[in-house]
Amino acid sequence: MKARTIGMFMLLAVITLTSCNDENYSLDPEIVRTGSLESPADNEVVTIDTANDDRIIFSWSAAKSADGGAVSYKILFDEHGGDFQDPIYAAVSDNGGASTTYTASAARLNVMAAQAGIQQLETGSLDWTIEVTSSYFVNPFDTVSTVKLTRPEGLAIFPEYMYMYGSATEAPDLENAIAFKEISSELPNQDIQPGVFESITRLTPGDFFIASSDNPSAEEINYYYINEEGKIRGGSDPSSFALKEGVYRVRMNLSQATISFTEISDVKLYIMANEVVKANLNYVGNHTFEATDGYFEFLTPGAPEAPSWLGWEEERYRFKFLLEGQASYIGSFHNDNMDGSLVQGVEAYNGRPNGDQPDYYYNTYFLGPDAGYWQGAWKFPDQLNGVDFTVRIVFDPKADHYYHEFEMN
């Protein structure tokens, strides 16, 4: 009984102390101190290196709220002398706004410099400051710093599409020009920087022109040509294509003002289990490879083409081809087991595509020459088992994604 009484007194004391603490403590998120801008130093000159993607870290000292609670940061960039009411660019700091740093990529700096009116190979000024948030309080720092940016050659602000036309291409005039879309890294092994535009198309020896629109009457249309050093430059002069006739993966790197032509050939659909080819695809124009004589019977244990280890019905396939003479692969977003996706935001689909597959199931990806034996597989649908079919790979720059498709003959 005595022990119970003591315990009750102790519990009452804890409750009383807690109540007192609750009465004396109140949240006060008001910002009582902003920080100072530290790096880069005021008027420091930064040379933007898009070729190596040298990254620049902007840093500042911490701000403080009255109650010591967490604050978050946003960095603001504006043209020199601007008031930051409509900044050129704004972003939360590293670590989702919690860090007192912001890491800017070379491509991002190049875009901001161009938006501030700094021309290629010139140096100009950009102002930056920090905005700190604590609950519903938002305060700008008291100071503004200037960073001087030296731009590299190449474009920084890109159109939605680029275009190519002329006697060397599939398009004789601007109205029917070949489109190029900006591409980005999707698979873990890719490292594609901003400003890379791609098109898969047939080229023959001859002249071509490059433009930022396929509308001759567009208010803003820019023309480009390739100079003697292989660099993209502004101007309407024709450029010459002197390689052999063929289908090429053409990439314009507008950030670095370069262009590359890589031949694509010998495209085949093959079964992954036994590596037997079931369709040879030829280029038929308009970014499309096609075979009309495909045929495949699903592999079963003991069948003539089945490998000795096979103990189930097998129907997985992908494409192989030559890229500048080197074997490479086109496949899906799936990992080796088809139970996970290699593309962020895309979920795996392990079943046969018999009608309930997601819309993106037939999307195609360049896997590279080192793709795993089972990486990037698709499965044939049941209705194509033992049926003549047509298969196409469509590298349409204006589609949502490159894709492939089947038709029963």
Side-chain angles (χ1 to χ4, degrees):
M1 184 72 178
K2 183 177 180 181
R4 244 170 106 187
T5 303
I6 293 174
M8 291 177 65
F9 274 117
M10 290 178 65
L11 179 61
L12 181 61
V14 170
I15 294 173
T16 303
L17 287 172
T18 303
S19 300
C20 290
N21 287 340
D22 288 343
E23 290 175 4
N24 294 333
Y25 180 79
S26 62
L27 293 174
D28 185 0
E30 183 177 1
I31 298 166
V32 295
R33 185 188 72 209
T34 57
S36 58
L37 308 179
E38 295 180 344
S39 179
D42 194 33
N43 286 307
E44 182 177 337
V45 178
V46 172
T47 300
I48 301 172
D49 185 357
T50 53
N52 297 304
D53 192 22
D54 285 351
R55 309 210 165 198
I56 304 301
I57 298 177
F58 291 78
S59 64
W60 54 92
S61 61
K64 183 179 180 181
S65 63
D67 58 15
V71 298
S72 62
Y73 302 94
K74 180 185 290 186
I75 189 168
L76 309 177
F77 294 92
D78 209 344
E79 59 186 18
H80 187 49
D83 59 7
F84 296 97
Q85 294 303 305
D86 184 21
I88 287 175
Y89 183 70
V92 297
S93 68
D94 296 337
N95 195 26
S99 297
T100 57
T101 60
Y102 171 72
T103 304
S105 70
R108 172 54 61 190
L109 287 174
N110 200 27
V111 170
M112 290 191 292
Q115 291 173 325
I118 304 172
Q119 301 301 311
Q120 296 181 47
L121 303 176
E122 292 185 358
T123 301
S125 297
L126 195 69
D127 291 347
W128 67 282
T129 192
I130 299 299
E131 186 178 84
V132 58
T133 299
S134 175
S135 185
Y136 49 85
F137 291 97
V138 180
N139 284 15
F141 276 26
D142 298 328
T143 56
V144 172
S145 188
T146 299
V147 59
K148 293 184 176 179
L149 299 175
T150 301
R151 281 194 58 203
E153 63 181 353
L155 301 181
I157 301 175
F158 313 118
E160 183 178 7
Y161 299 101
M162 292 290 287
Y163 295 89
M164 178 185 287
Y165 66 98
S167 64
T169 76
E170 296 180 45
D173 50 47
L174 180 60
E175 292 89 339
N176 299 292
I178 302 301
F180 286 69
K181 72 172 181 179
E182 187 174 10
I183 59 174
S184 59
S185 299
E186 294 181 287
L187 297 172
N189 64 316
Q190 294 176 325
D191 184 20
I192 300 170
Q193 298 302 310
V196 177
F197 285 70
E198 177 180 271
S199 193
I200 285 81
T201 186
R202 182 189 300 279
L203 294 172
T204 59
D207 292 338
F208 65 89
F209 300 85
I210 300 173
S212 61
S213 173
D214 61 349
N215 181 2
S217 60
E219 291 184 6
E220 294 186 9
I221 180 170
N222 298 307
Y223 292 90
Y224 305 91
Y225 72 100
I226 312 302
N227 70 6
E228 294 179 354
E229 298 176 346
K231 295 289 189 177
I232 300 174
R233 290 289 183 263
S236 57
D237 295 341
S239 300
S240 179
F241 179 78
L243 299 175
K244 68 177 182 178
E245 179 178 356
V247 182
Y248 290 84
R249 185 178 72 183
V250 186
R251 285 184 172 177
M252 301 182 199
N253 188 329
L254 302 187
S255 293
Q256 299 179 17
T258 60
I259 189 168
S260 63
F261 304 92
T262 309
E263 187 180 17
I264 292 178
S265 61
D266 203 27
V267 180
K268 301 175 183 295
L269 181 155
Y270 77 102
I271 305 307
M272 300 173 78
N274 58 8
E275 300 190 75
V276 173
V277 173
K278 293 300 176 181
N280 291 283
L281 287 76
N282 298 308
Y283 187 74
V284 295
N286 198 26
H287 316 287
T288 302
F289 288 85
E290 180 183 88
T292 59
D293 57 352
Y295 181 85
F296 171 53
E297 293 183 11
F298 291 2
L299 298 177
T300 54
E305 291 187 344
S308 59
W309 48 261
L310 187 65
W312 59 89
E313 189 173 62
E314 178 59 49
E315 76 286 46
R316 283 174 288 178
Y317 70 95
R318 67 180 178 186
F319 300 93
K320 56 184 174 182
F321 68 106
L322 297 180
L323 187 63
E324 206 66 23
Q326 181 183 17
S328 193
Y329 300 94
I330 294 170
S332 73
F333 50 86
H334 289 114
N335 63 6
D336 288 18
N337 296 323
M338 286 191 78
D339 59 0
S341 173
L342 299 174
V343 176
Q344 187 174 4
V346 176
E347 294 184 0
Y349 182 85
N350 195 25
R352 289 177 182 168
N354 292 328
D356 56 353
Q357 72 276 4
D359 292 340
Y360 54 76
Y361 180 80
Y362 286 106
N363 285 356
T364 62
Y365 300 82
F366 285 109
L367 304 182
D370 301 320
Y373 190 91
W374 293 102
Q375 180 191 335
W378 293 283
K379 291 184 176 182
F380 270 97
D382 285 318
Q383 59 265 35
L384 290 183
N385 185 8
V387 174
D388 294 326
F389 62 82
T390 292
V391 58
R392 300 181 192 91
I393 307 177
V394 183
F395 297 105
D396 182 358
K398 292 192 173 181
D400 291 338
H401 201 281
Y402 296 154
Y403 65 96
H404 72 293
E405 61 187 9
F406 290 97
E407 290 180 4
M408 290 187 292
N409 294 346

